[in-house]
Amino acid sequence: MTFCEIPTDADSYVLLVESFLKKNEPADARTALDSMKEQGHLPSPTFFCSVSLIEKGMKENMDLVYKILEALLMRDHIEEALGGINLMTMNDCIPDIYHLLVVLCDNDNITEAQKLADFTLEERQR
């Protein structure tokens, strides 16, 4: 896009990075993420962390990822959390949705739990 002098936007880069990760091309995803930053588009901290963890194959340290997801959901950053869950799922890291729902309900975050449950049900129907 920059070679052809086409204006760039952050959403295009996010889609590009996610598609590279979906094709199991973490090096290309990292290159696109770096290009995104060079063009002045800052990825959200969650997106950056998710790409970094998946790129490094850190599937065994999922407790850290769950803590990030919990924090996002508890602070009503639903879209970022769902994006992280979607990214995990695309990379064969199936999140423990039940655990996240229990944490949300135990902390009286019922609206967030409902949104997570709806998202999960919609994804299963695809």
Side-chain angles (χ1 to χ4, degrees):
M1 289 183 344
T2 56
F3 180 74
C4 296
E5 297 183 17
I6 297 172
T8 61
D9 62 76
D11 292 335
S12 298
Y13 276 107
V14 169
L15 290 173
L16 182 62
V17 170
E18 288 177 348
S19 64
F20 280 132
L21 289 172
K22 191 173 186 176
K23 289 183 165 196
N24 200 23
E25 305 270 349
D28 292 332
R30 170 56 80 177
T31 301
L33 186 63
D34 291 342
S35 180
M36 176 183 185
K37 292 186 292 185
E38 288 171 6
Q39 293 300 312
H41 305 295
L42 297 177
S44 71
T46 306
F47 183 71
F48 183 77
C49 184
S50 297
V51 171
S52 298
L53 289 174
I54 291 170
E55 176 193 28
K56 293 183 179 8
M58 296 180 65
K59 296 177 184 177
E60 67 274 1
N61 293 325
M62 294 309 289
D63 57 327
L64 174 63
V65 175
Y66 284 122
K67 291 294 180 193
I68 293 169
L69 290 175
E70 284 176 24
L72 287 170
L73 290 165
M74 299 281 272
R75 290 178 178 86
D76 201 29
H77 294 280
I78 304 298
E79 293 303 317
E80 285 186 39
L82 297 180
I85 290 169
N86 190 39
L87 187 61
M88 290 171 64
T89 304
M90 288 188 315
N91 288 280
D92 299 324
C93 299
I94 308 302
D96 185 354
I97 300 297
Y98 179 76
H99 170 77
L100 292 171
L101 289 171
V102 168
V103 169
L104 289 170
C105 290
D106 285 349
N107 289 289
D108 294 325
N109 292 81
I110 305 304
T111 303
E112 291 80 2
Q114 180 65 48
K115 290 177 183 178
L116 177 58
D118 290 344
F119 172 79
T120 304
L121 292 172
E122 288 174 13
E123 288 299 310
R124 286 190 178 174
Q125 291 177 352
R126 289 185 188 179

